[in-house]
Structures are given as C-alpha cells and as structure tokens.
C-alpha cells in the first residue's frame, strides 16, 4: 500500500511559512509516497495554489458538521474543498480535549467531509493513564467504532493512531506497542468495512522524526505517519518522507 505522510501544522504558520512549502515542493519531487500538508485555515487557499502542479496535497485540521449556517467562527467541509483542501484531520486529541469533541461529533464531521469530497484522517489514541491502566486497546477500539460513520471506505478515510502521551513529548511507544494497536485497528476496520478494511491506511502519529521514521514505517499495518512538530520545516519533513524509501 502506498504510504501517506501528513503534516499537521496545528496553530502554526503565517504567510511567510509558505517559503517552507516552496522548499518542500522542491525536495519531494521523487517521493514514492502520498504527501499532505495541513496548514491553518488561513493558508489553505494560498498553499494549494502554490502546490497545484506538485505531488503534495493540502488538508485542513477540522471542519463543522453542517454545510453552512449561523455558526460563528466555524468552517465547513465544503468551504475547505472550495479553498483547495483535499483532506481534513478530524477528532485530533487536542480537539477532543480542548473542544470537548466526542466520538459522535467526530463521526458527524466525517460525514460532512465525505459529502464535500474530502478524505478524512480520523484520529484515535489513549492517554498515559489509560495505557497504564491496561485500557489502550479498549479506548482506541471504542473511539474507532464511534468516530467512523457508515459510508467510510479506504478511498475517503485514513485512521491516525496518536497516543496522547507521545504527542509533542519525544516519547514514542515501543515497536511492539505500535504493532499491537495497529493490528487491532486493522481487525476492527475489517469487521466494519469487510475486505475494504484491509486497504484503509493506518497512520502512526506522536513524536515522529527523521531519526525514528524508518523503524516505525517498517511495522506491520503502519501505512504512514501524521507528523506535528517535524512537519513545520521542509528539511525535517523531507527527512521523514525520504525514510519511506528506506523501507522495502
Ligand atoms: P508531534 O509530531 O509534534 O508529536 O505531534 C503529533 C500530532 O499531534 C500530529 O497530529
């Protein structure tokens, strides 16, 4: 399966950051994987114009479940598509925590994304406490069942497993822990989507760097990465993208 490497800029990036995208465009022409950059809303239109004739596509970091209406400050999936986005990250733990997003809301956003023709990157992952209590598999399974709506398929959805305790901390689960969760996600997707569940890309996210990417990409059922901090500079992100080429 062709790997998907997505960069989540979170609330970072000004017009001057488009220079990084220009460098990335130059550095990734020969990449063997699919590359997505998810800048803040304010840069979606400009960056997608800039990347028109490249192998990099643009994604967003959230959308509202409705198409339009009296929702001050929100942005719909249709607006994102109109601005040039092709992907949208949904259910990121930072939104689940700071915006109290529950699985049902995430699922309704995924439906909206699909309606707008966007591919959803649906995030799941346990906290440190949940892992220490031996509940990681259970928590991730519950999030997955609740956040993936009917109509999802390998062509309109990827899953990102992002243990909350590994995000921005420099901590990474062991290879065995990644393998265990990714294989349980694969099993759940097959139960849910039948044969097509085998083709859904399952990304790992949480402190992915150029130095650990090749090892992570070699794990069974790891079909790419969702990268935060190391996606902010073209040099770091290109290092992760080139690690895909090191995996057979
Ligand atoms: P870091 O790569 O900075 O740990 O962030 C991961 C993440 O949250 C991507 O969505």
């Amino acid at each position: 399966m062709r790997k998907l490497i997505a960069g989540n800029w979170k609330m970072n990036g000004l017009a001057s950051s488009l220079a990084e995208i220009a460098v990335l465009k130059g550095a990734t022409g020969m990449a063997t994987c699919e590359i997505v950059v998810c800048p803040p809303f304010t840069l979606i239109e400009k960056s997608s114009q800039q990347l028109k004739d490249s192998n990099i596509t643009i994604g967003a970091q959230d959308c509202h479940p409705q198409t339009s209406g009296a929702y001050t400050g929100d942005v719909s999936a249709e607006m994102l598509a109109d601005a040039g986005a092709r992907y949208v990250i949904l259910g990121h733990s930072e939104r689940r925590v700071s915006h109290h997003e529950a699985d049902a809301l995430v699922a309704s956003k995924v439906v909206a994304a699909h309606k707008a023709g966007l591919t959803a990157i649906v995030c799941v992952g346990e906290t440190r406490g949940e892992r220490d209590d031996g509940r990681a598999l259970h928590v991730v399974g519950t999030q997955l069942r609740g956040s993936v709506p009917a109509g999802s398929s390998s062509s309109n959805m990827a899953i990102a497993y992002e243990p909350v305790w590994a995000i921005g901390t420099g901590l990474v689960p062991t290879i065995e822990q990644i393998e265990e969760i990714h294989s349980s996600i694969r099993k759940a997707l097959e139960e849910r989507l039948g044969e097509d569940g085998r083709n859904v890309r399952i990304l790992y996210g949480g402190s992915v760097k150029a130095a650990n990417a090749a090892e992570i990409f070699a794990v069974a059922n790891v079909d790419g990465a969702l990268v935060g901090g190391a996606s902010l500079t073209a040099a770091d992100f290109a290092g992760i993208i080139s690690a895909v080429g090191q995996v057979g």
Side-chain angles (χ1 to χ4, degrees):
M1 188 179 328
R2 195 156 167 251
K3 286 195 170 22
L4 169 62
I5 312 297
N8 175 8
W9 282 17
K10 308 191 179 184
M11 199 173 72
N12 296 291
L14 300 172
S16 55
S17 315
L18 296 172
E20 288 300 322
I21 288 187
V23 177
L24 187 66
K25 189 175 165 182
T28 56
M30 301 296 284
T32 52
C33 55
E34 193 174 343
I35 305 163
V36 179
V37 174
C38 303
F41 290 138
T42 48
L43 295 179
I44 287 175
E45 181 137 30
K46 276 188 186 153
S47 56
S48 54
Q49 288 291 334
Q50 193 182 359
L51 291 169
K52 245 184 191 159
D53 51 350
S54 79
N55 60 348
I56 306 171
T57 46
I58 289 295
Q61 302 170 20
D62 182 42
C63 70
H64 192 274
Q66 300 298 325
T67 310
S68 61
Y71 303 103
T72 302
D74 282 313
V75 175
S76 74
E78 191 181 42
M79 291 168 179
L80 299 176
D82 188 47
R86 297 292 168 259
Y87 281 80
V88 59
I89 297 169
L90 294 171
H92 192 283
S93 61
E94 285 151 15
R95 293 204 64 86
R96 288 180 185 266
V97 172
S98 61
H99 294 265
H100 311 290
E101 293 196 6
D103 294 335
L105 177 63
V106 175
S108 68
K109 292 182 173 195
V110 177
V111 170
H114 291 165
K115 252 193 230 162
L118 300 177
T119 296
I121 300 175
V122 180
C123 303
V124 294
E126 82 286 359
T127 62
R128 180 80 254 178
E130 288 163 344
R131 175 158 287 277
D132 291 345
D133 290 347
R135 297 177 52 229
L137 282 171
H138 173 76
V139 167
V140 167
T142 304
Q143 288 177 338
L144 196 66
R145 278 189 298 279
S147 309
V148 172
S152 300
S153 72
S154 61
S155 55
N156 64 19
M157 181 186 66
I159 303 294
Y161 167 57
E162 299 204 303
V164 178
W165 51 275
I167 295 176
T169 58
L171 300 172
V172 177
T174 63
I175 291 304
E176 291 73 25
Q177 286 170 332
I178 296 175
E179 194 166 1
E180 181 185 40
I181 297 270
H182 277 241
S183 81
S184 79
I185 293 173
R186 176 70 66 213
K187 204 163 154 252
L189 288 169
E190 283 174 14
E191 280 165 16
R192 185 67 180 268
L193 307 175
E195 284 242 330
D196 189 43
R198 280 188 216 158
N199 304 320
V200 176
R201 284 176 293 192
I202 308 172
L203 317 182
Y204 168 78
S207 298
V208 177
K209 311 272 178 253
N212 61 19
E215 193 187 10
I216 293 170
F217 293 154
V219 178
N221 291 306
V222 172
D223 309 309
L226 182 55
V227 183
S231 70
L232 293 174
T233 66
D236 288 342
F237 199 41
I240 292 170
I241 290 162
S242 71
V244 174
Q246 296 165 33
V247 184

